[in-house]
């Protein structure tokens, strides 16, 4: 099976007021002038999704969200559904980011339910997994992340567009990154876990690396075996930095 097209996705987290739309506009314009080898997405706060979608219409830049509720509608004050996100113009959604897992107690079962909800609404999910520093130091990295794959990827993903993101919790927003060998070890194990979970369909989805990807380390990370793109937090907020990472993918 041919390698899936790489995906470079920005995670704006809870950053960005109206003025941030300009950054997305700049990324979209640059992609129009010079198309990227990778697919490129910005996953914005819900309040900006519709504005971003309008601003980048006609370009290849994909607009996504960062979370959804698993139900299509209901009495869930403060939440938004997959259908609402799609209705606002999103095509993609990050699920089970480590900040959702650690701050909001999201389990693998919740991640799997949200992944099904994303598919229901036609959104492409990016499902995140990653070990904590304590788990890595205890030598449990592969057991933890492969277990997360098993619990978080529902069968319904087979044959559908989705991505997995490997994000070591200790590397997110810290400036620390695993060695290239550690990234490779994790991605190779994750690929096998995806095949175990979904059969041959587990080879079709890219595995993104996330955790302190910057313009100066993107190229070396992106050439590691089984790294199929990047999930980028801080460095996605400025178009100039994000575009350098996009270009590092070719
Ligand atoms: C993230 O938010 O998913 C992330 C990887 O953040 P950063 O790139 O800032 O470490």
């Amino acid at each position: 099976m041919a390698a899936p097209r790489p995906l470079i996705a920005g995670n704006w987290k809870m950053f960005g007021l109206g003025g941030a739309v300009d950054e997305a506009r700049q990324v979209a314009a640059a992609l129009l002038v010079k198309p990227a080898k990778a697919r490129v997405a910005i996953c914005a706060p819900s309040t900006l999704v519709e504005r971003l979608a309008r601003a980048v219409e006609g370009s290849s830049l994909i607009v996504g969200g960062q979370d959804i509720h698993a139900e299509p509608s209901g009495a869930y004050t403060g939440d938004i559904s997959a259908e609402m996100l799609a209705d606002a113009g999103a095509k993609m959604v990050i699920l089970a980011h480590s900040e959702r897992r650690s701050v909001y107690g999201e389990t693998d079962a919740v991640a799997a339910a949200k992944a099904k909800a994303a598919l229901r609404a036609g959104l492409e999910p990016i499902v995140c997994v990653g070990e904590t520093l304590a788990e890595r130091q205890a030598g449990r990295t592969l057991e933890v992340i492969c277990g997360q794959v098993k619990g978080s990827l529902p069968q319904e993903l087979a044959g559908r567009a989705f991505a997995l993101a490997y994000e070591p919790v200790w590397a997110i927003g810290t400036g620390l990154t695993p060695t290239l060998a550690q990234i490779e070890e994790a991605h190779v194990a994750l690929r096998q876990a995806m095949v175990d979970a979904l059969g041959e369909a587990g080879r079709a989805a890219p595995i993104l690396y996330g955790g302190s990807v910057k313009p100066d380390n993107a190229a070396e990370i992106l050439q590691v075996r089984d790294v199929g793109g990047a999930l980028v937090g801080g460095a996605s907020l400025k178009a100039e930095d994000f575009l350098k990472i996009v270009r590092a993918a070719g």
Side-chain angles (χ1 to χ4, degrees):
M1 191 177 285
R5 192 169 165 208
L7 170 65
I8 307 291
N11 172 16
W12 279 7
K13 308 195 190 206
M14 198 175 74
F15 293 104
L17 301 176
V21 174
D22 269 346
E23 300 295 329
R25 215 179 262 120
Q26 284 176 48
V27 174
L31 296 178
L32 279 173
V33 172
K34 185 173 175 234
K37 178 178 165 208
R39 296 194 299 147
V40 183
I42 290 178
C43 297
S46 307
T47 49
L48 289 179
V49 165
E50 188 158 5
R51 275 180 275 180
L52 251 61
R54 283 185 205 281
V56 308
E57 208 172 347
S59 81
S60 62
L61 180 61
I62 301 163
V63 176
Q66 301 170 12
D67 184 38
I68 47 170
H69 194 285
E71 295 297 326
S73 60
Y76 301 105
T77 302
D79 277 324
I80 63 164
S81 69
E83 284 76 5
M84 290 170 175
L85 203 53
D87 186 50
K91 304 279 183 230
M92 205 170 255
V93 63
I94 298 170
L95 297 177
H97 188 279
S98 75
E99 288 149 19
R100 302 292 318 172
R101 288 181 185 265
S102 66
V103 183
Y104 301 95
E106 288 192 8
T107 60
D108 292 339
V110 169
K114 291 185 176 189
K116 285 190 219 174
L119 296 179
R120 185 186 66 219
L123 295 174
E124 181 175 340
I126 303 175
V127 181
C128 303
V129 299
E131 82 286 0
T132 62
L133 187 57
E135 288 164 342
R136 176 162 284 277
Q137 287 171 340
R140 297 186 52 231
T141 297
L142 301 186
E143 170 204 335
V144 167
I145 61 178
C146 293
Q148 288 173 331
V149 165
K150 191 170 178 202
S152 306
L153 299 189
Q155 287 303 312
E156 286 81 349
L157 286 171
R160 303 288 298 270
F162 77 98
L164 186 77
Y166 168 55
E167 299 207 303
V169 178
W170 50 274
I172 297 177
T174 58
L176 302 172
T177 51
T179 64
L180 299 181
Q182 286 171 328
I183 294 175
E184 177 169 339
E185 181 188 40
H187 280 237
V188 169
L190 287 169
R191 177 62 72 201
Q192 187 56 51
M194 288 167 75
V195 171
D196 292 346
L198 302 175
E200 283 306 298
R203 294 193 197 283
I207 307 175
L208 318 185
Y209 168 77
S212 298
V213 176
K214 306 287 178 207
D216 61 359
N217 64 11
E220 60 176 14
I221 290 173
L222 288 168
Q223 55 73 39
V224 171
R225 179 176 164 205
D226 256 321
V227 170
L231 183 53
V232 184
S236 71
L237 293 169
K238 288 277 158 239
E240 193 186 339
D241 289 344
F242 190 50
L243 280 165
K244 283 183 188 155
I245 295 170
V246 167
R247 299 302 179 203

